[in-house]
Amino acid sequence: MIDRMAAATHPSMEDLDLPTVMHALADPIRLGLVRLLSDGEERAWGDLDAPVANSTLSHHLKVLRSAGITRTREEGKRCFVRLRSDEFEGRFPGLLDTTLALAGEAGTGVADVRLHSAAA
Amino acid sequence: MIDRMAAATHPSMEDLDLPTVMHALADPIRLGLVRLLSDGEERAWGDLDAPVANSTLSHHLKVLRSAGITRTREEGKRCFVRLRSDEFEGRFPGLLDTTLALAGEAGTGVADVRLHSAAA
DNA sequence: TTCTATCTTCGACGAACATCGAACAATCGG
DNA sequence: CCGATTGTTCGATGTTCGTCGAAGATAGAA
């Protein structure tokens, strides 16, 4: 149907509003993903190990992408994800850094998202 | 039924998790309320002028209260609301300040919540 | 071309959510 | 005691959300 080739659509930062962004950050799995990506490195989709089905993981990544938080790059058959840190910082100053600092601590209700065995 | 006298229940900061807090901050009306309270002053419930029915406003204030963001005080027949700034800062450092800074700007999707004519 | 790996989309489900009006409880003033 | 004021709760409605499995689409390997 869609577009592994049409390159997953990414919103312009100007088009984003605060409620949308907050909502994207209001889920344990998505916070776990953001935490995993917090070092700024790009990660392969297939290396992401979250406690949900692949279809659900795809959904969560779409929500993060739609909220301007992550960028997805397609390379052949595989996908890579990373934070849009700099751009996001320009639109919502401080929000990502603050959230990452909080999501990094234990007991904050963030899901355990890690990398599959063969880490990069 | 309940308890204008049992004093609206407020959670302990340790019992709060990040997804809950983010969710509370993911609504235009609630962000508008938080913005209105951002100066730290206590406001009378009846002075709050939000574009929703009273029952809905009551609901939103309950969500904020349950997320540890606001505190409600009852004095006789009337209610007063204020932010739990200091306590909240201790549990989620930086989050409230960052959010308030962002909610204060235009074009961020925050609802227009103000005070009724007779402002305090 | 055919098969395989890699995501994405579809369709469905139950749960949670925002919203309203009406009914209710509590307090204060006659 | 009666009535007005002030929020809160209830019940209902329509929407959105998180989740899954199955089916689809694409790129590369065989």
Side-chain angles (χ1 to χ4, degrees):
Chain A
M1 17 223 60
I2 297 205
D3 53 44
R4 290 295 292 293
M5 59 173 309
T9 156
H10 294 87
S12 300
M13 284 296 162
E14 313 100 55
D15 296 337
L16 298 173
D17 60 17
L18 195 50
T20 298
V21 170
M22 288 302 200
H23 169 257
L25 295 173
D27 178 272
I29 299 285
R30 292 194 289 265
L31 282 171
L33 287 166
V34 170
R35 181 182 56 177
L36 182 67
L37 297 170
S38 64
D39 60 4
E41 292 297 309
E42 184 176 73
R43 304 291 181 185
W45 203 106
D47 287 344
L48 303 177
D49 182 17
V52 289
N54 278 351
S55 55
T56 303
L57 179 55
S58 182
H59 163 68
H60 284 306
L61 287 171
K62 182 177 182 178
V63 172
L64 288 174
R65 199 184 333 124
S66 302
I69 298 172
T70 59
R71 177 176 295 284
T72 295
R73 179 175 66 87
E74 282 140 48
E75 187 178 309
K77 185 173 16 177
R78 311 208 296 151
C79 278
F80 297 88
V81 193
R82 72 158 78 191
L83 292 181
R84 288 178 72 180
S85 309
D86 292 351
E87 298 169 84
F88 194 87
E89 174 67 18
R91 178 70 177 90
F92 300 101
L95 185 53
L96 193 50
D97 284 349
T98 300
T99 303
L100 288 176
L102 296 173
E105 296 176 16
T108 49
V110 178
D112 182 37
V113 178
R114 51 180 79 217
L115 293 174
H116 275 126
S117 42
Chain B
M1 16 213 60
I2 299 205
D3 53 44
R4 293 295 293 294
M5 61 173 307
T9 154
H10 294 87
S12 300
M13 284 297 162
E14 313 100 53
D15 295 338
L16 299 172
D17 60 18
L18 195 50
T20 298
V21 170
M22 288 302 201
H23 170 257
L25 295 173
D27 179 271
I29 300 285
R30 292 195 289 265
L31 282 171
L33 287 166
V34 170
R35 181 182 56 178
L36 182 68
L37 297 171
S38 64
D39 61 4
E41 291 298 309
E42 185 176 73
R43 305 291 181 185
W45 203 107
D47 287 345
L48 301 177
D49 182 18
V52 289
N54 278 351
S55 53
T56 304
L57 178 56
S58 182
H59 162 69
H60 284 307
L61 287 171
K62 181 176 181 178
V63 172
L64 288 174
R65 196 182 339 119
S66 302
I69 298 172
T70 59
R71 176 176 295 284
T72 296
R73 180 174 66 88
E74 281 140 48
E75 187 177 310
K77 183 172 21 176
R78 312 209 296 151
C79 277
F80 297 88
V81 192
R82 72 157 79 190
L83 293 180
R84 289 178 73 179
S85 309
D86 291 350
E87 298 169 84
F88 194 88
E89 173 68 18
R91 178 70 175 91
F92 300 102
L95 185 53
L96 192 51
D97 284 349
T98 300
T99 303
L100 288 176
L102 296 174
E105 296 178 15
T108 48
V110 178
D112 183 36
V113 178
R114 51 181 78 217
L115 293 175
H116 276 125
S117 43

